[in-house]
Amino acid sequence: MARVSYRSADINLMARMMRAEAEGEGRLGMLYVGNVIVNRLAANCIDFKNLRTVSQVIYQVQGGNFSFEAVQKGNVFYQRARGVEKRLAKQNLDYWRQHPAKFALWYFNPHAPCPPTWYGQPASGQFKNHCYYEPKPDTCASVYRG
């Protein structure tokens, strides 16, 4: 059973986002970004309430800007997703979760060492240039299920 409901168009959109955000970090880096996308869709808490589709997660606006830098800058569509990214996206949607992004709802590239917290949420780890942050259990317990 898939972690979240999705359509084939969601695989393509998510794959494009994963490529735009983390292509330079290889397949594993793209999978970690995919974890965050799926976690936001599954969490239904804090900033991510009532998100029901991959498209809603990717195009979510917070504080007047798109949540993901690739959408803000427009490079989410810089190239279409290749087969490898589509397979990775499907893995994320179906079952794949791994530390440090296993429960992460946020990531960013600080161009420096990872801060221990980000907007009050604890760091779960780092992979290459991206720092990952998961919510405190009392803030969003739903992300820790499933």
Side-chain angles (χ1 to χ4, degrees), residues 46 121 135-141 144:
I46 46 180
Q121 305 303 323
K136 296 173 189 171
D138 62 337
T139 305
C140 185
Y144 295 99

Side-chain angles (χ1 to χ4, degrees), residues 5-18:
S5 297
Y6 66 92
R7 304 168 313 168
S8 60
D10 295 327
I11 295 170
N12 186 56
L13 180 60
M14 188 166 144
R16 290 164 57 191
M17 174 61 77
M18 291 163 64

Side-chain angles (χ1 to χ4, degrees), residues 74-130:
N75 65 345
V76 68
F77 299 111
Y78 78 122
Q79 289 185 17
R80 67 179 163 216
R82 300 170 294 198
V84 66
E85 288 98 13
K86 290 178 185 178
R87 285 189 297 279
L88 295 173
K90 186 163 176 20
Q91 275 184 264
N92 279 126
L93 291 160
D94 286 339
Y95 65 88
W96 197 92
R97 295 175 93 175
Q98 187 171 310
H99 178 78
K102 185 173 185 176
F103 304 115
L105 291 175
W106 305 274
Y107 65 88
F108 81 109
N109 178 351
H111 303 286
C114 294
T117 61
W118 195 50
Y119 293 102
Q121 305 303 323
S124 56
Q126 180 174 356
F127 181 75
K128 296 191 179 182
N129 294 323
H130 283 110

